[in-house]
Amino acid sequence: LGSPVPNNTYGYGRIDVAAAYQYAFLNFVNGGNDPVVLVHDAAIVATYPDIQTALDNCSNLDIIKVQAATPLAAPDIDLLGIAVSLLGGYDSAFLSQTGSTTLQGTLTITAGTVIIANVIVA
């Protein structure tokens, strides 16, 4: 049910069914409900228990998505000159942004470019 979109996935409205299956599969493989996913070239490539681990494994122009209901430690961001996006507030399946993500502590950005949205540092 749905119509094909350019990347050969099927969706209903704004729901990306392929992304939901990618997350469910990776979460099953990793054995848990990780609150952080790494998106590379529009595909979820890994799940992580925290933002710092995702940052340690990201490439230029990757997107790190974080669930809304999960307070996490604020990371130290040192990207060695690359650019990433840190997007918070996602629902449990990472299909839509339903609120914001709270980071506890101090957020430090040393090098690189970071686009941050729907994130509160407390």
Side-chain angles (χ1 to χ4, degrees):
L1 297 174
S3 59
V5 291
N7 63 357
N8 295 324
T9 62
Y10 286 84
Y12 182 76
R14 294 185 60 193
I15 297 173
D16 185 346
V17 176
Y21 284 122
Q22 288 170 346
Y23 173 68
F25 174 74
L26 285 170
N27 227 5
F28 173 75
V29 169
N30 292 335
N33 291 315
D34 289 333
V36 179
V37 297
L38 181 62
V39 178
H40 180 77
D41 289 335
I44 296 173
V45 295
T47 67
Y48 296 104
D50 57 65
I51 297 169
Q52 188 66 56
T53 308
L55 284 165
D56 293 343
N57 290 284
C58 69
S59 300
N60 195 39
L61 302 178
D62 281 353
I63 299 169
I64 297 170
K65 295 181 178 182
V66 186
Q67 290 176 347
T70 308
L72 295 169
D76 292 325
I77 301 175
D78 187 353
L79 298 173
L80 303 173
I82 66 172
V84 299
S85 296
L86 176 60
L87 309 178
Y90 278 89
D91 63 12
S92 62
F94 295 93
L95 296 176
S96 63
Q97 287 175 295
T98 59
S100 60
T101 298
T102 301
L103 302 181
Q104 299 171 337
T106 302
L107 178 64
T108 304
I109 302 171
T110 305
T113 302
V114 184
I115 296 170
I116 300 174
N118 293 35
V119 173
I120 298 169
V121 180

